[in-house]
Amino acid sequence: MDPIGLTTSLHRALEAGESGPALRRHFTADAITVERPNLIKPHGARSSIDEMIANSEEGAGLLSSQKYDLHSALVSGSTAILRLTWTGMLRDGKQLVAHIAQFVDTRDGLISAIETFDCYEPF
């Protein structure tokens, strides 16, 4: 699968409510995520695959649903470059919206790294 297809597959799994160990099928064993500073993580973060899996379970406990709307995507070698909007509905009914630029590196048909720039609308 191409880098955009791999990324879209991950986004659809998250939209379907997948979290925890089920998400490992999308990633290499040494995958990482780098989140650049944003309103939720003002200092940014770097997470290993194990931390990503744990974070996905925590997020699933906070969200009743989430949606990724892809606006544009390019491929450069094994990297997908995406511009998208994420909308998350919290269990208390509040909505979060982030406008995102995301760089997704792939290797051997799996995601090996995600670097994300999340610009959240005011809460």
Side-chain angles (χ1 to χ4, degrees):
M1 193 179 299
D2 68 280
I4 294 170
L6 291 170
T7 305
T8 300
S9 178
L10 172 63
H11 291 162
R12 296 301 164 254
L14 292 167
E15 289 174 344
E18 284 188 36
S19 64
L23 293 175
R24 285 188 188 273
R25 66 186 166 90
H26 298 278
F27 296 98
T28 61
D30 61 345
I32 61 162
T33 295
V34 176
E35 295 175 77
R36 295 302 175 190
N38 59 66
L39 284 175
I40 292 178
K41 294 191 178 177
H43 299 288
R46 182 182 180 94
S47 303
S48 68
I49 183 65
D50 292 333
E51 292 165 324
M52 282 189 273
I53 297 303
N55 292 342
S56 75
E57 290 177 321
E58 183 180 329
L62 298 173
L63 296 171
S64 60
S65 67
Q66 60 183 316
K67 176 85 175 121
Y68 292 85
D69 292 310
L70 181 62
H71 304 297
S72 61
L74 298 169
V75 174
S76 178
S78 60
T79 301
I81 304 160
L82 307 133
R83 186 175 61 86
L84 52 108
T85 300
W86 172 84
T87 304
M89 291 300 296
L90 296 173
R91 295 204 181 272
D92 66 5
K94 293 180 183 161
Q95 178 176 280
L96 298 176
V97 177
H99 304 280
I100 300 171
Q102 199 169 70
F103 299 80
V104 182
D105 296 325
T106 63
R107 184 177 72 240
D108 301 326
L110 297 169
I111 296 169
S112 59
I114 300 173
E115 182 175 9
T116 188
F117 297 80
D118 303 342
C119 299
Y120 285 90
E121 291 184 0
F123 304 150

